[in-house]
């Protein structure tokens, strides 16, 4: 997505490809959101409800402040930046509150994303085919998940079997 976001959006209609920058900013916002979600689960299990509320308040205040300043001058991109800024700000506090396991998984996940992006960008320098660039980035990210032991093949099979048993 980072290397071919305009191509991915043009699959739907060419008019959407102008929003590639917006897609990249929102995609980056997902990474800190995942960290915050895991930390909120941990805090909930510990009964630390005040910390959960504090995270929500901080994110809301930063988001609303950023919206007020960024949207009038930047439009939709400003809105995406507001989401990214508020998400990153709460991720910083979440890292502080996270246990070592969550921190390790979070930073390793960032490394996996970086491997996918860099491999896609390197292939893009050699081949001018966005499908192949996207495929290489995706495959190297998936391979990195296995390499860094963030997921096992048996877990993927378990997920597939669970989906099959639900008769989707």
């Amino acid at each position: 997505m980072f290397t071919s976001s305009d191509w991915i959006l043009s699959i739907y209609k060419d008019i959407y490809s102008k929003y590639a920058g917006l897609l990249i900013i929102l995609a980056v916002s997902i990474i800190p959101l995942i960290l915050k979600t895991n930390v909120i689960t941990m805090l909930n299990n510990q009964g630390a409800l005040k910390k959960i509320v504090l995270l929500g308040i901080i994110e809301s205040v930063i988001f609303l402040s950023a919206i007020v300043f960024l949207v009038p001058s930047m439009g939709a991109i400003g809105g995406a930046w507001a989401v990214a800024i508020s998400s990153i700000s709460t991720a910083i506090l979440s890292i502080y509150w996270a246990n070592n396991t969550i921190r390790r998984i979070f930073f390793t996940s960032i490394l996996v994303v970086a491997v996918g992006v860099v491999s896609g960008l390197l292939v893009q320098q050699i081949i001018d085919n966005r499908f192949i660039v996207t495929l290489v980035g995706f495959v190297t990210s998936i391979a990195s998940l296995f390499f860094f032991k963030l997921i096992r093949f048996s877990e993927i099979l378990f997920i597939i079997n669970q989906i099959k048993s639900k008769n989707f």
Side-chain angles (χ1 to χ4, degrees), residues 63-76:
F63 174 73
L64 292 172
S65 301
I67 282 283
V68 167
F69 290 108
L70 296 176
V71 169
S73 61
M74 299 174 73

Side-chain angles (χ1 to χ4, degrees), residues 38-49 51-52 55 97:
N38 285 317
V39 169
I40 286 173
T41 301
M42 180 195 77
L43 293 172
N44 191 34
N45 289 333
Q46 294 172 350
L49 300 179
K51 288 181 179 179
I52 295 171
L55 274 175
W97 285 336

Side-chain angles (χ1 to χ4, degrees), residues 18-94:
K18 68 180 179 181
Y19 298 109
L22 185 68
L23 179 62
I24 290 171
I25 295 167
L26 292 173
V28 168
S29 301
I30 291 172
I31 296 169
L33 173 71
I34 292 168
L35 169 68
K36 184 186 73 172
T37 303
N38 285 317
V39 169
I40 286 173
T41 301
M42 180 195 77
L43 293 172
N44 191 34
N45 289 333
Q46 294 172 350
L49 300 179
K50 288 181 182 178
K51 288 181 179 179
I52 295 171
V53 171
L54 182 62
L55 274 175
I57 291 170
I58 290 170
E59 186 167 26
S60 297
V61 167
I62 291 174
F63 174 73
L64 292 172
S65 301
I67 282 283
V68 167
F69 290 108
L70 296 176
V71 169
S73 61
M74 299 174 73
I77 292 287
W81 277 114
V83 170
I85 291 167
S86 64
S87 184
I88 291 167
S89 65
T90 53
I92 292 167
L93 186 55
S94 295

